[in-house]
Amino acid sequence: MLAAAALAILLFALPLIGLLQRADWSRVVDDLRSPASAAAMRLSITTSLAATVLAIALGLPLAWLLARTDIPGRAVIRALVLLPMVLPPVVGGVALLAAFSRRSPLGSWLYDAFGIQLTFSRAGVVLAEAFVAMPFFVITVEAALRSLDPRFEQVAAGLGASPAQVFRRVTLPLIAPAVAAGAILSWARALGEFGATITFAGNIAGRTRTLPLEIYLQLESDPQAAIALSLVLLLVSFAVLIGLRDRWLGGARP
Amino acid sequence: MTGDGAALEGEITVAAAASLTEPFADIGTAFEAEHPGAEITFTFDSSGTLSQQILDGAPVDAFASADERNMDALVEADLVEGEPAVFAGNQLIIITKPGNPEGIASLADLAGAGVVSLCGEDAPCGRFAAQALENAGVTIPERSVTRGHNAKSALTAVSEGDAVAGIVYVTDALAAGDAVDAIEIPADQNVVATYPVAVLADAHDVALARAFVDYLASDDGQAILEERGFLPPT
C-alpha cells in the first residue's frame, strides 16, 4: 500500500526533477529575458487574465443556473459545459475553427458585417483559452452553490430582498472563496493552454504565440530556452496549487 | 529483390519527416507485402523534433530527414550506423485556399496578402522557405506569419484555418488534393531539399532497418516516391 503510494508520488515527482536537472541554470535568466520569451510571457499573461475575466463573467451566471434552477436538460447542459475538460484541446481548436473561422457561417458573417476575424487574433487566443478554462470555474462555483445552506437565502428573501439583492448581498459573499479558487484554477489552465490555441488562433510571434507555443517551437531550435520557459509555467502552476490546497474542493466556509 | 535467402522478420520503427507521411505509408505496405514477417512502425514529425528525440534516446531503427542538418547532428553524435544516403529530393510550392481567392501568383504577392503559414524557423521547410523568399527578394513581416510545427501543420493552417497562403513542399500540396490550390515557384527562386536516410547505431534490428533503407533506393521504392511528387536523388 505504502509502496504503491510512494510509486505514485515518484511518477509525479520524477518528470519535475528531470526538468530541473536538465536546466542550464547559468543561462535561465538570459533565456527568459530574450525578446521572444518576453513577448510570449507578456502575451500569455494578458490573454490568460482576459480569459479568466470572461470565464467569471459568463461562468458565474452559468454556475447559478446549473445549481439553482430546474431547467429541462440540465444534465445535458452540464455535460456540454464540462466537455472541454476531457476533450483533447486540439479537437476543441478544430471545433472552434468550424464555428468561427472565416469559412464558417458565423465567422464569415462576423467578418463581412463587422470586420471581426477571430482566427490569428488575440481575441481568438482569449476565446480558445476561455473555452478550455471556464469549465474549471463553473464546476468549482457550482459545487459551492450546492453546498450552501439555502436558509440564508430564504431568510434574506423573506425579509423582502429581491433575487438580485439576495445573490449580491448574501450568496456571493458566502461563495467568494470558491469564486476566487475557481478563477485561479481557470487562470492557470488558460495560461497553459496549447492545443486549442495553436489550432484556432495560429502561431504568430507577438500576437498569438503564447508561452506554451513558444516552448513548443523552441524545443526544436533551442531546447534550453524551452526548458527555462517550462520552469516558469511549472513554478506558477505549483504556486497556484499550493495556494489553493484548502479550497481545492471549492466548498464555501461560512 | 529478396536475393540473399534469409527471410526478414521482426519489427522496426522508422522516424521520418512529416512530408514523407504518404509515400512511406505506401512503401511500408509494399515492403511488408514483400517480407511477410516484417512489421514497420512509422513516427512522423518535423525532422528537427525527430532528431532531438533520437538524441534523447528514442528507440528508433532508421531515420529519414528532410534536410542534411538534422541528419548531421546524429552523425556527429555517433548515432548513425554507416553513412547516410540521399534517397529523394523535394521542392517548395505556394498554396492558397481552393480557387485562389486572393489571386496570388508569386512569392512577391505573399508580402501583403494577409496571414501566411510557414513552417517553424528551425524546421527544414521553414529554413527552405526563408531561403526561397530571400532568393525572390521578398520579406514577409513576422507579424503576418503563423508557424506550423512541421510541413503538415503549416498546410493545415491554410486548408482548415484562415491563413491566406502558405509555403510547403510540392509533395504536401499534391497530397492535400483539392483542399488547396498550388502556385509554382520559379526554379531560380526555389530550393531543392535533399532527404537523407540512415540506419541508426542503436537499431535493435540492423538487418531489417538496412533492408528498409535499401528498399527506398530500389526501383519499387523510387517509383512510389515519384508517384507522390518526390524528385530522384541527385
Side-chain angles (χ1 to χ4, degrees), chain A residues 150-161 166:
Chain A
R151 283 175 299 183
F152 291 111
E153 289 161 314
Q154 284 158 9
V155 168
L159 292 172
V166 172

Side-chain angles (χ1 to χ4, degrees), chain B residues 121-204:
Chain B
E121 276 158 324
D122 275 279
C125 49
R127 284 207 317 280
F128 296 146
Q131 183 66 51
L133 287 165
E134 199 187 315
N135 294 348
V138 176
T139 311
I140 305 177
E142 197 61 29
R143 63 171 193 285
S144 304
V145 175
T146 185
R147 290 194 180 273
H149 192 54
N150 58 42
K152 292 293 172 198
S153 53
L155 185 132
T156 309
V158 178
S159 64
E160 303 296 322
D162 277 344
V164 167
I167 302 177
V168 296
Y169 294 115
V170 168
T171 53
D172 296 316
L174 198 62
D178 293 340
V180 294
D181 270 17
I183 296 111
E184 280 186 28
I185 299 171
D188 60 328
Q189 296 172 356
N190 215 329
V191 177
V192 176
T194 51
Y195 286 66
V197 65
V199 175
L200 298 179
D202 293 335
H204 75 269

Side-chain angles (χ1 to χ4, degrees), chain A residues 241-252:
Chain A
L241 293 178
I242 288 182
L244 285 179
R245 65 199 184 283
D246 295 328
R247 291 172 186 160
W248 179 246
L249 294 172

Side-chain angles (χ1 to χ4, degrees), chain B residues 8 31 60 71 88 141 167:
Chain B
L8 285 164
F31 184 84
V60 172
M71 183 62 84
I167 302 177

Side-chain angles (χ1 to χ4, degrees), chain A residues 107-123:
Chain A
S108 67
W109 175 73
L110 279 176
Y111 188 75
D112 294 339
F114 307 102
I116 295 173
Q117 180 179 351
L118 288 170
T119 50
F120 302 123
S121 71
R122 281 200 180 86

Side-chain angles (χ1 to χ4, degrees), chain A residues 22 97 100-103 117 119-120 198 202-205 207 209 216-217 219-221 223, chain B residues 46 48-49 52 56 97 115 120 122-123 142-143 145-147 149 158-163:
Chain A
R22 205 150 145 191
L97 270 181
F100 297 110
S101 87
R102 279 177 54 190
R103 286 194 292 169
Q117 180 179 351
T119 50
F120 302 123
I198 196 167
N203 184 10
I204 301 181
R207 181 149 27 126
R209 187 174 300 160
Y216 190 53
L217 273 192
L219 211 48
E220 186 160 306
S221 51
Chain B
S46 148
T49 301
Q52 192 66 45
D56 281 341
K97 295 235 178 276
V115 173
D122 275 279
E142 197 61 29
R143 63 171 193 285
V145 175
T146 185
R147 290 194 180 273
H149 192 54
V158 178
S159 64
E160 303 296 322
D162 277 344

